[in-house]
Amino acid sequence: MNLAQLRELARADLDDRVEPYLWSDEDLDEFANDAHIEAARRARLLRDSTTTAVARITLVPDQSLYSLHASVVRVDRARIEGRAEPLAFVLLRDADRCLPGWEDYESATPTALIPDFQSGTIALVPAPAEAGTLHLTVIRTPLAEMNDDADEPEIPPHAHRALRHWMVFRAHLNPDSQKLDKKRAAEALALFEAEFGAPQPVYDEVWQQQHYAGRDYGHY
């Protein structure tokens, strides 16, 4: 389903299919993109192991800290190319306890990843001695907005139609007297949440990035 089709679905639910429209195409496009991000975040629908910009990090000798792509909500797995065993995830507090002095380790092949050392980054322990590639599996948000009528959501196709519920929810929150309908907004939100789940606050996403993948600390 593409952006134009999503607009048509939303207009049908809004009873706004005759021009002049109450809601502009630009407004509905904004609501559709908002719905796309919200659905991906709530249901963690975009798991990515292959997109180079997101799931590949070039390792630099003697460099421990690496930035994550802005779309990454959480890292679930990390493996150095050429090695079979993934890195162990170790929270900072456990690294300081189990790997004292880890920041000063001599460079070698990394065996652990610290997800909560610095926002938007991961730290490898020890720092790599050689150049290489780190392969990640991540949960992320959509990479680009839908702007053209033919653009399609990244989330799985079977979930596309339900995006319209968020669009209707947003549309009926407009304070204009012809558009505001809190009852219909609440009904649309309930339908959206039935499909994609409860909100995912940013603080919860930060907690998950820092803690979720760190359940198994390997041999540490």
Side-chain angles (χ1 to χ4, degrees), residues 9-20:
L9 279 177
R11 288 201 185 282
D13 287 355
L14 291 164
D15 194 20
D16 188 37
R17 289 186 284 187
V18 178
E19 296 188 60

Side-chain angles (χ1 to χ4, degrees), residues 47-97:
R47 181 180 296 272
D48 194 341
S49 299
T50 59
T51 303
T52 299
V54 176
R56 299 289 182 272
I57 291 178
T58 299
L59 301 181
V60 178
D62 304 321
Q63 179 178 318
S64 176
L65 202 62
Y66 295 88
S67 296
L68 295 170
H69 191 273
S71 69
V72 173
V73 175
R74 137 183 130 210
V75 179
D76 278 355
R77 184 175 184 268
R79 180 185 64 85
I80 294 176
E81 188 171 295
R83 297 184 62 85
E85 186 175 354
L87 300 182
F89 280 66
V90 186
L91 300 181
L92 180 60
R93 64 173 182 266
D94 297 306
D96 288 339
R97 175 173 53 84

Side-chain angles (χ1 to χ4, degrees), residues 25-180:
D25 283 356
E26 290 76 17
D27 284 342
L28 292 183
D29 288 354
E30 177 191 339
F31 301 157
N33 280 294
D34 193 27
H36 190 202
I37 295 170
E38 197 69 23
R41 288 178 60 192
R42 290 180 182 225
R44 303 181 182 94
L45 292 174
L46 296 177
R47 181 180 296 272
D48 194 341
S49 299
T50 59
T51 303
T52 299
V54 176
R56 299 289 182 272
I57 291 178
T58 299
L59 301 181
V60 178
D62 304 321
Q63 179 178 318
S64 176
L65 202 62
Y66 295 88
S67 296
L68 295 170
H69 191 273
S71 69
V72 173
V73 175
R74 137 183 130 210
V75 179
D76 278 355
R77 184 175 184 268
R79 180 185 64 85
I80 294 176
E81 188 171 295
R83 297 184 62 85
E85 186 175 354
L87 300 182
F89 280 66
V90 186
L91 300 181
L92 180 60
R93 64 173 182 266
D94 297 306
D96 288 339
R97 175 173 53 84
C98 300
L99 305 169
W102 63 268
E103 292 166 278
D104 299 319
Y105 280 10
E106 184 176 345
S107 297
T109 299
T111 56
L113 179 153
I114 299 174
D116 59 335
F117 179 65
Q118 181 172 298
S119 297
T121 68
I122 52 176
L124 303 186
V125 183
E130 301 177 351
T133 301
L134 185 66
H135 294 250
L136 303 178
T137 297
V138 305
I139 302 296
R140 62 168 175 81
T141 55
L143 294 178
E145 287 193 347
M146 298 178 287
N147 294 309
D148 297 329
D149 283 355
D151 288 346
E152 297 183 1
E154 282 192 79
I155 64 174
H158 67 266
H160 289 183
R161 292 179 65 87
L163 294 176
R164 75 186 194 273
H165 300 311
W166 184 268
M167 297 168 68
V168 172
F169 161 68
R170 285 286 312 275
H172 277 310
L173 289 183
N174 191 302
D176 183 282
S177 60
Q178 289 186 286
K179 300 176 182 179
L180 180 64

